[in-house]
């Protein structure tokens, strides 16, 4: 009977799935980190914090803090960043994912003592603009990856920003923008930074740089990050290369 | 050669018919200040400046609309907040007027006699008078679903949306009350249509499922109570995943972004929703006259056939930095490539 066949397939698949879930709940050591990252990405996109933390509890039994952060949480965030760039997920999901990820990392640090390496001082800022969300998402991603980040706030003038960078000897400055005038103002900041803090590398991001891919070069930034995770990867590469 | 008035041309296109040529809306706000040799702040301090500035812009670029819009933060000023002016761009909204959920209960929708709203209505009345029924005058409201980004900051609003639905809907009810009143005051002052700016509706900002449960319901209620036709604008946000939902809100046109394929948008919307767009306003600043012509030609080729298309930028406001030369090149290209029938399209 056709109906019985489809029932059989459905029941078999369901049983397999249930057995799989049971085996995971029993804390099997075989919890695959790649698969865990994919599961976590789903929880992030659904803004399902309880499931994300339940997964974290299971991971904590079998994995180190570094594995959880580097092989599960960060790949999930990175995939979400890529999908946002392709128009497949929304900014609200990107923001909430970062927020949940930060809370997860706080718990990882408490339970495993995970500490990330630091390859230089990093600051995030919004120049002139009052739109803070991009910087907030960036700070979440950096912090989740284990970076110690100085948050310079928003609506800063070029003079204020450059003075802070010079004062703190910042190695890597990440500027988030939403409006075109603020993105253009980076050019003035770059001129002053090159004079007063020549070792500082500047990574810019935000809508104007997405809509005009040539803008980053025009304002003299060292790099453009189209998403928060791409900015993080650029930053890590610069740190590795000692740029 | 133009054989129709701007009003007839726009109305024909919005009815999904081919007029004499593709209509063009150069949505310029701050350029009026440049024309009058004023700072942006001074320009927006008096409705007479905006009336004069729009008249000059209309004549200079042979625009198919008059745009009495000042800047988005005027609504926040009406709610009791501040606008922070800069020399070369639209003012930002100042500190959030809603910091806690209790503030949502305390704030009251602005009275239509608020000076900043009166000034906006004065500009509309002056331009309606100037248009004499020959040129569309476009009013603007910020959607109740999107304006909280300025009322409480983006982060605070997303937290509210995800974590406190009761407070979210209390805020929506107040914002809806204001939005309908403000839109209808503009209709009473004579606008041809009201632009319903709703960037948060875009799938770049919220998920389609989220929109269907929130912003779409708000839009359906507000648009059904508007006394003028509406055009929804997503201000550079993506629209394709929610086209059917936007159609269901009852809006007549949609401002679309340059990140999506205009031909695909046209295919999906044809006969149901007119399109407005999608020149890249940010990139426009660096275009040569030849590039401007190529971009205009491309848009017309993809969306012009059959009407239902108004050439415009993709954000709903052209940046202050875009030069007269580029704007004139865009306008000239519309004359060159936009005359119906579009026989040059194979």
């Amino acid at each position: 009977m056709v109906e019985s066949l489809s029932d059989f397939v459905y029941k078999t698949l369901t049983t397999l799935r249930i057995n799989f879930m049971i085996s995971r709940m029993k804390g099997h050591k075989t919890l695959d980190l790649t698969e865990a990252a994919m599961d976590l990405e789903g929880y992030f996109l659904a803004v399902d914090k309880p499931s994300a933390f339940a997964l974290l509890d299971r991971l904590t039994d079998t994995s180190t803090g570094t594995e959880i952060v580097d092989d599960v949480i960060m790949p999930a965030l990175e995939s979400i960043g890529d999908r946002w760039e392709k128009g497949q997920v929304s900014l609200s999901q990107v923001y909430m994912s970062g927020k949940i990820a930060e809370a997860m990392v706080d718990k990882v640090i408490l339970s495993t003592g995970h500490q990330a390496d630091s390859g230089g001082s990093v600051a995030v800022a919004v120049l002139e603009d009052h739109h803070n969300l991009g910087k907030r998402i960036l700070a979440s991603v950096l912090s989740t990856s284990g970076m110690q980040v100085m948050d310079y706030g928003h609506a800063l003038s070029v003079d204020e920003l450059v003075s802070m960078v010079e004062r703190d000897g910042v190695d890597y400055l990440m500027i988030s923008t939403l409006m075109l005038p603020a993105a253009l103002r980076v050019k003035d900041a770059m001129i002053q930074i090159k004079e007063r803090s020549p070792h500082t590398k500047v990574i810019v991001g935000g809508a104007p740089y997405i809509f005009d891919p040539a803008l980053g070069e025009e304002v003299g930034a060292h790099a453009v990050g189209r998403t928060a995770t791409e900015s993080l990867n650029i930053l890590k590469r610069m740190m590795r290369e000692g740029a | 050669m133009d054989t129709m008035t701007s009003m007839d041309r726009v109305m024909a296109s919005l009815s999904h018919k081919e007029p004499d040529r593709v209509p063009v809306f150069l949505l310029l706000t701050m350029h009026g200040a440049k024309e009058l040799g004023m700072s942006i702040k001074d320009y927006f301090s008096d409705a007479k400046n905006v009336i004069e500035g729009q008249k000059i812009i209309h004549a200079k670029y042979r625009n198919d609309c008059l745009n009495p819009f000042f800047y988005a933060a005027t609504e926040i000023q009406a709610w009791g907040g501040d606008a922070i002016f800069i020399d070369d761009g639209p003012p930002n909204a100042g500190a959030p007027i809603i910091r806690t959920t209790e503030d949502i209960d305390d704030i009251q929708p602005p009275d239509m006699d608020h000076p900043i709203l009166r000034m906006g209505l004065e500009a509309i009345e002056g331009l309606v008078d100037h248009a004499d029924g020959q040129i569309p005058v476009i009013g603007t409201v910020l959607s109740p679903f999107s304006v909280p980004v300025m009322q409480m900051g983006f982060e605070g609003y997303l937290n509210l949306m995800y974590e406190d639905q009761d407070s979210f809907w209390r805020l929506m009810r107040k914002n809806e009350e204001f939005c309908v009143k403000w839109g209808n005051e503009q209709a009473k002052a004579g606008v041809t249509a009201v632009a319903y700016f709703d960037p948060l509706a875009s799938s770049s900002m919220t998920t389609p499922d989220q929109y269907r449960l929130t912003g779409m319901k708000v839009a359906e209620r507000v648009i059904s109570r508007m006394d003028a036709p509406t055009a929804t604008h997503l201000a550079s946000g993506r629209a394709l995943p929610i086209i059917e939902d936007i159609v269901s809100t009852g809006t007549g046109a949609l401002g679309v972004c340059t990140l999506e394929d205009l031909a695909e948008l046209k295919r999906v919307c044809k006969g149901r929703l007119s399109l407005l767009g999608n020149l890249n306003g940010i990139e426009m600043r660096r275009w040569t006259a030849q590039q401007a012509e190529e971009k205009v030609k491309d848009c017309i080729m993809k969306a012009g056939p059959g009407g239902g298309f108004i050439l415009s930028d993709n954000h709903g406001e052209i940046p202050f930095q875009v030069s007269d030369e580029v704007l004139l090149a865009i306008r000239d290209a519309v004359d060159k490539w936009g005359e119906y029938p579009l026989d040059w399209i194979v």
Side-chain angles (χ1 to χ4, degrees):
Chain A
M1 293 188 327
V2 174
E3 191 175 272
S4 298
L5 179 64
S6 65
D7 278 355
F8 171 77
V9 171
Y10 175 76
K11 282 174 187 168
T12 305
L13 289 173
T14 304
T15 307
L16 284 170
R17 180 69 184 161
I18 290 168
N19 288 342
F20 178 61
M21 295 300 288
I22 290 170
S23 73
R24 297 176 96 191
M25 284 188 283
K26 284 177 179 170
H28 275 213
K29 293 278 181 186
T30 52
L31 195 57
D32 179 76
L33 296 182
T34 305
E35 191 183 324
M38 289 167 66
D39 286 350
L40 184 60
E41 182 182 340
Y43 302 145
F44 279 162
L45 292 177
V47 194
D48 184 353
K49 195 172 173 181
S51 294
F53 273 80
L55 175 64
L56 178 61
D57 287 342
R58 294 199 299 276
L59 285 166
T60 308
D61 291 340
T62 58
S63 308
T64 66
T66 303
E67 284 172 337
I68 295 170
V69 174
D70 292 351
D71 299 337
V72 180
I73 299 178
M74 290 311 300
L77 286 181
E78 191 153 346
S79 176
I80 289 169
D82 290 345
R83 291 175 69 181
W84 184 75
E85 196 183 347
K86 291 174 188 159
Q88 295 170 350
V89 302
S90 72
L91 192 65
S92 64
Q93 289 170 302
V94 176
Y95 165 69
M96 292 305 287
S97 301
K99 195 175 163 183
I100 298 170
E102 260 188 309
M104 290 175 74
V105 169
D106 286 346
K107 192 171 178 188
V108 170
I109 292 169
L110 274 178
S111 57
T112 69
H114 166 77
Q115 288 290 329
D117 299 331
S118 174
S121 56
V122 181
V124 294
V126 178
L127 186 60
E128 294 214 340
D129 215 315
H130 291 255
H131 297 89
N132 213 22
L133 189 71
K135 175 174 71 64
R136 178 72 179 87
I137 292 171
L138 179 62
S140 284
V141 168
L142 295 177
S143 154
T144 300
S145 78
M147 301 269 178
Q148 301 294 311
V149 182
M150 291 179 275
D151 188 342
Y152 282 171
H154 62 280
L156 298 167
S157 68
V158 168
D159 286 344
E160 286 170 331
L161 177 63
V162 176
S163 295
M164 293 163 105
V165 168
E166 188 179 28
R167 179 196 67 200
D168 297 334
V170 169
D171 297 313
Y172 302 97
L173 173 65
M174 312 187 81
I175 303 176
S176 168
T177 62
L178 181 67
M179 308 295 284
L180 178 61
L184 291 171
R185 212 79 77 225
V186 172
K187 190 171 189 174
D188 300 332
M190 289 306 302
I191 291 168
Q192 288 198 40
I193 286 169
K194 279 174 184 166
E195 281 178 17
R196 293 165 58 183
S197 185
H199 79 285
T200 304
K201 298 295 175 198
V202 178
I203 302 168
V204 294
Y209 297 102
I210 293 172
F211 281 95
D212 183 357
L215 190 56
E217 192 179 341
E218 180 188 333
V219 300
H222 294 102
V224 176
R226 291 171 64 87
T227 66
T229 43
E230 187 180 274
S231 297
L232 170 66
N233 289 335
I234 292 167
L235 177 62
K236 282 180 171 173
R237 194 190 66 229
M238 284 180 167
M239 286 176 166
R240 271 198 313 273
E241 294 170 355
Chain B
M1 199 175 104
D2 290 358
T3 57
M4 299 172 89
T5 65
S6 290
M7 182 67 87
D8 290 342
R9 178 176 304 118
V10 170
M11 289 305 157
S13 191
L14 291 176
S15 306
H16 304 278
K17 293 175 184 155
E18 294 188 349
D20 56 345
R21 68 159 166 79
V22 171
V24 55
F25 281 9
L26 292 174
L27 296 174
L28 301 163
T29 55
M30 298 161 283
H31 283 70
K34 210 183 282 183
E35 294 292 345
L36 296 182
M38 302 175 115
S39 71
I40 290 171
K41 186 173 185 181
D42 286 346
Y43 176 72
F44 287 127
S45 68
D46 191 330
K48 291 183 181 63
N49 298 333
V50 174
I51 295 169
E52 192 55 31
Q54 282 295 314
K55 285 181 185 175
I56 294 170
I57 286 167
H58 177 258
K60 186 171 180 176
Y61 301 113
R62 293 164 291 132
N63 209 1
D64 281 317
C65 73
L66 290 161
N67 181 18
F69 180 64
F70 281 47
Y71 50 88
T74 53
E75 288 197 14
I76 293 303
Q77 288 176 286
W79 280 94
D82 300 316
I84 299 167
F85 283 84
I86 56 174
D87 295 334
D88 56 357
N92 271 302
I97 53 171
I98 298 172
R99 292 184 178 83
T100 66
T101 48
E102 287 73 34
D103 291 340
I104 293 172
D105 294 321
D106 294 340
I107 59 165
Q108 292 304 320
D111 195 280
M112 291 299 123
D113 285 332
H114 191 287
I116 197 83
L117 301 181
R118 292 303 323 161
M119 190 160 65
L121 292 171
E122 187 187 334
I124 289 170
E125 286 160 359
L127 289 171
V128 166
D129 188 48
H130 175 70
D132 195 25
Q134 308 292 301
I135 313 161
V137 178
I138 310 301
T140 299
V141 295
L142 304 182
S143 93
F145 181 57
S146 293
V147 75
V149 170
M150 291 197 292
Q151 290 174 312
M152 56 192 308
F154 214 145
E155 194 179 345
Y157 182 43
L158 289 180
N159 290 337
L160 182 83
M161 206 186 294
Y162 276 103
E163 294 165 1
D164 188 350
Q165 282 284 298
D166 286 348
S167 299
F168 167 81
W169 283 111
R170 284 207 306 282
L171 180 59
M172 289 304 108
R173 280 193 288 276
K174 290 195 173 182
N175 286 350
E176 283 177 36
E177 185 188 336
F178 168 71
C179 184
V180 170
K181 271 189 192 169
W182 176 222
N184 285 342
E185 280 296 310
Q186 295 181 54
K188 203 160 74 181
V191 296
T192 315
V194 173
Y196 183 81
F197 264 81
D198 202 4
L200 262 285
S202 160
S203 54
S204 303
M205 295 292 154
T206 52
T207 68
D209 285 344
Q210 240 176 334
Y211 174 62
R212 285 168 200 134
L213 292 170
T214 54
M216 188 182 90
K217 292 184 188 302
V218 170
E220 283 172 343
R221 284 200 292 265
V222 169
I223 289 171
S224 69
R225 292 168 64 198
M226 283 282 183
D227 295 335
T230 61
T232 299
H233 208 301
L234 303 184
S236 302
R238 293 177 196 264
L240 274 169
I242 53 165
I243 289 292
E244 298 305 323
D245 308 299
I246 289 175
V247 169
S248 80
T249 66
T251 201
L254 176 66
V256 292
C257 98
T258 197
L259 299 175
E260 290 181 317
D261 179 21
L262 192 56
E264 172 68 2
L265 285 159
K266 175 75 177 190
R267 190 188 64 74
V268 175
C269 296
K270 194 170 183 181
R272 302 188 297 159
L273 201 57
S274 293
L275 296 177
L276 187 73
N278 67 348
L279 298 171
N280 185 335
I282 298 291
E283 205 181 59
M284 195 184 283
R285 190 178 59 86
R286 64 169 77 254
W287 284 351
T288 61
Q290 190 185 344
Q291 283 174 310
E293 181 178 339
E294 284 165 8
K295 301 281 185 185
V296 169
K297 187 180 172 187
D298 186 57
C299 285
I300 291 173
M301 184 181 71
K302 288 176 173 169
F309 175 60
I310 297 172
L311 184 81
S312 189
D313 72 291
N314 75 324
H315 193 74
E317 184 176 60
I318 292 177
F320 187 65
Q321 291 77 7
V322 176
S323 70
D324 294 3
E325 290 72 24
V326 169
L327 295 170
L328 287 168
I330 291 171
R331 186 60 191 82
D332 289 346
V334 175
D335 279 342
K336 186 172 175 182
W337 298 104
E339 195 170 308
Y340 286 106
L342 302 171
D343 291 335
W344 57 272
I345 300 175
V346 181

